[in-house]
Amino acid sequence: MRDKSFYKEKAESIKNNVLEIQKRGAIFNIEDPFNSYPGITDIIREFVHLVFSFDRSLPLNKELENLSKLRFSSAITGGVDFAKKDFEKVISKIDFFIHYLDTYVD
């Protein structure tokens, strides 16, 4: 098992990648019209595997199962930007993992 600093640095790097994709905004691709944020799926997968490799029995793993269902829809309906809410969900999970490492791991 790697040490705490590896997991923390990797989680922070993943968070920065998520923030960069969010900052770039939605990109329309005629060949893949349902993927407005290229790379987000791979980054989420990387984060899920990072947490799992840290501790397979960590309760956070159960919460992370729902991240693969996020659609990052950029359409604004009724004043709600669903992509923004999806990004917030991902970032909050990453932030919690970093908090967990800082608070509970020696």
Side-chain angles (χ1 to χ4, degrees):
M1 182 171 167
R2 299 177 189 251
D3 65 350
K4 169 184 160 177
S5 64
F6 167 82
Y7 290 97
K8 184 174 178 182
E9 288 171 14
K10 188 68 175 162
E12 289 171 346
S13 174
I14 290 170
K15 179 180 176 181
N16 288 335
N17 289 335
V18 170
L19 291 171
E20 185 61 34
I21 288 172
Q22 182 183 29
K23 181 180 171 184
R24 226 178 12 228
I27 299 170
F28 181 75
N29 180 351
I30 192 84
E31 295 174 12
D32 192 5
F34 299 108
N35 185 7
S36 298
Y37 295 91
I40 193 66
T41 303
D42 292 334
I43 291 172
I44 289 171
R45 184 179 300 121
E46 182 76 21
F47 177 62
V48 169
H49 281 83
L50 178 71
V51 174
F52 189 79
S53 73
F54 175 74
D55 184 348
R56 294 174 184 193
S57 63
L58 196 65
L60 181 59
N61 284 304
K62 189 70 173 162
E63 294 179 38
L64 298 181
E65 290 175 9
N66 294 326
L67 292 183
S68 66
K69 297 175 186 169
L70 297 177
R71 295 291 134 225
F72 296 91
S73 172
S74 60
I76 298 177
T77 309
V80 177
D81 183 349
F82 292 105
K84 181 180 179 189
K85 292 213 174 279
D86 288 347
F87 276 106
E88 288 172 359
K89 288 175 188 175
V90 173
I91 292 166
S92 73
K93 301 299 182 200
I94 296 170
D95 284 343
F96 180 79
F97 182 60
I98 293 169
H99 164 77
Y100 174 84
L101 292 170
D102 286 340
T103 305
Y104 300 107
V105 179
D106 292 332

